[in-house]
């Protein structure tokens, strides 16, 4: 897991915001959506939140701006450094660290009311042992009664269609035009898929192209739910995008 995921997010850290028409607007929107979910679950600010797959801060910054005490960690040092810079630029207070979600129990001190992993990050846990380690480590950082929140792509729908290419998105910005698309390769055993993210940028009339490759597991909701249950968490509940406004299905589970 570590090498492929680390390379993917190290390379993407300085360009991640380009995947959004307006990244700062997305930070605000996702913060609002997750804030509503946490309040409904009895976890209003200033609850302590560990975002253990923070990337450049899309969810962490949104929640911190709403009064949560957020500690943001990620496997990628470059992503964490970018999250720190964005926090300063947005005048938002967070603490940060570099940590592997499978090793939170000894890489991240303290406990939290909420442990969060969004944007399909858990699907990078390619082996069953990785998933078990991450579930146990996330559970270990929760206070009694604490809430785990994770999001996962709808892999059942994807497996049914097995897309090879995502339609391009063309974004016109003050800095020039961007074209975004992905090429998907499916493993023969249908247990994994590889996503190649292409970013084309027009600057001063010249086009520049970058490509970032990520490998994911076709993790099914029942597999994630069972791993969390084996880690000692209870009362798992799934929320659809229609219920929450988040772009992926979300699961919550509690520590007794």
């Amino acid at each position: 897991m570590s090498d492929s995921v680390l390379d993917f997010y190290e390379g993407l850290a300085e360009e991640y915001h380009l995947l959004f028409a307006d990244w700062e607007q997305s930070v605000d929107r996702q913060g609002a959506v997750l804030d509503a979910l946490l309040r409904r679950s009895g976890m209003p600010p200033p609850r302590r939140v560990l975002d253990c797959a923070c990337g450049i801060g899309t969810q962490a910054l949104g929640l911190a701006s709403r009064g949560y005490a957020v500690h943001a960690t990620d496997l990628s040092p470059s992503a964490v450094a970018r999250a720190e810079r964005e926090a300063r630029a947005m005048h938002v207070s967070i603490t940060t660290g570099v940590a592997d979600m499978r090793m939170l129990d000894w890489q991240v001190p303290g406990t939290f009311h909420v442990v969060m992993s969004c944007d399909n990050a858990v699907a990078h846990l390619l082996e069953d042992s990785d998933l078990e380690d991450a579930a146990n480590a996330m559970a270990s950082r929760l206070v009694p009664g604490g809430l785990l929140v994770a999001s996962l792509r709808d892999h059942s729908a994807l497996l049914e269609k097995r897309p090879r290419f995502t339609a391009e998105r063309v974004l016109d910005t003050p800095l020039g035009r961007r074209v975004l698309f992905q090429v998907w390769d499916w493993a023969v055993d249908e247990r994994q898929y590889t996503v190649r993210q292409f970013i084309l940028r027009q600057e001063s009339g010249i086009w520049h192209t970058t490509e970032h490759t990520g490998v994911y597991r076709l993790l099914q909701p029942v597999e994630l739910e069972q791993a969390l249950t084996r880690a000692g968490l209870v009362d798992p509940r799934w929320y659809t995008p229609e219920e929450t406004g988040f772009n992926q299905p979300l699961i919550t589970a509690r520590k007794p």
Side-chain angles (χ1 to χ4, degrees):
M1 170 218 178
S2 298
D3 289 344
S4 65
V5 177
L6 181 59
D7 291 344
F8 181 43
Y9 289 106
E10 283 285 286
L12 191 55
E14 294 304 319
E15 293 192 319
Y16 189 81
H17 67 289
L18 299 176
L19 303 179
F20 299 83
D22 187 325
W23 180 68
E24 291 192 14
Q25 185 179 75
S26 294
V27 168
D28 184 67
R29 182 184 62 79
Q30 293 193 32
V33 166
L34 291 169
D35 175 42
L37 176 65
L38 295 182
R39 288 177 183 274
R40 182 170 21 168
S41 302
M43 294 291 169
R47 297 298 194 186
R48 297 189 306 277
V49 177
L50 169 61
D51 183 350
C52 68
C54 70
I56 69 169
T58 308
Q59 293 86 32
L61 297 172
L63 286 177
S65 70
R66 285 168 170 75
Y68 293 86
V70 179
H71 184 57
T73 67
D74 198 275
L75 186 70
S76 164
S78 296
V80 171
R82 175 82 191 275
E84 292 171 348
R85 297 201 309 270
E86 296 298 340
R88 290 192 294 270
M90 296 181 186
H91 305 289
V92 170
S93 177
I94 62 172
T95 58
T96 61
V98 176
D100 186 324
M101 71 169 69
R102 300 169 299 175
M103 304 176 187
L104 301 173
D105 44 352
W106 62 273
Q107 290 184 341
V108 176
T111 54
F112 302 83
H113 297 101
V114 178
V115 174
M116 181 172 64
S117 174
C118 290
D119 287 338
N120 202 45
V122 291
H124 287 302
L125 301 162
L126 302 182
E127 303 295 333
D128 289 344
S129 58
D130 293 326
L131 180 60
E132 295 294 324
D133 288 345
N136 285 314
M138 288 188 286
S140 76
R141 297 302 86 193
L142 283 170
V143 301
L147 189 74
L148 180 135
V149 180
S151 79
L152 185 67
R153 278 186 181 131
D154 186 350
H155 285 136
S156 296
L158 287 172
L159 186 57
E160 182 179 333
K161 297 179 180 179
R162 300 215 320 171
R164 294 297 310 278
F165 176 85
T166 62
E168 72 279 0
R169 294 164 54 212
V170 180
L171 304 176
D172 290 304
T173 76
L175 298 178
R177 176 168 290 183
R178 294 198 302 273
V179 180
L180 310 170
F181 66 90
Q182 297 175 345
V183 176
W184 291 41
D185 294 314
W186 295 81
V188 174
D189 63 4
E190 296 184 338
R191 287 184 54 81
Q192 296 180 13
Y193 59 100
T194 300
V195 175
R196 304 182 191 279
Q197 174 70 62
F198 289 86
I199 303 173
L200 285 68
R201 288 178 294 155
Q202 186 182 37
E203 297 178 356
S204 301
I206 299 174
W207 285 93
H208 304 271
T209 304
T210 53
E211 181 263 337
H212 306 281
T213 300
V215 180
Y216 296 87
R217 170 181 177 167
L218 271 160
L219 185 62
Q220 297 301 318
V222 66
E223 294 179 290
L224 177 56
E225 186 173 325
Q226 289 174 348
L228 298 178
T229 300
R230 287 192 293 271
L233 301 182
V234 299
D235 194 24
R237 177 175 176 183
W238 285 95
Y239 297 85
T240 66
E242 291 74 21
E243 288 178 279
T244 64
F246 199 76
N247 62 305
Q248 294 175 347
L250 287 160
I251 186 173
T252 62
R254 290 190 182 274
K255 187 168 184 175

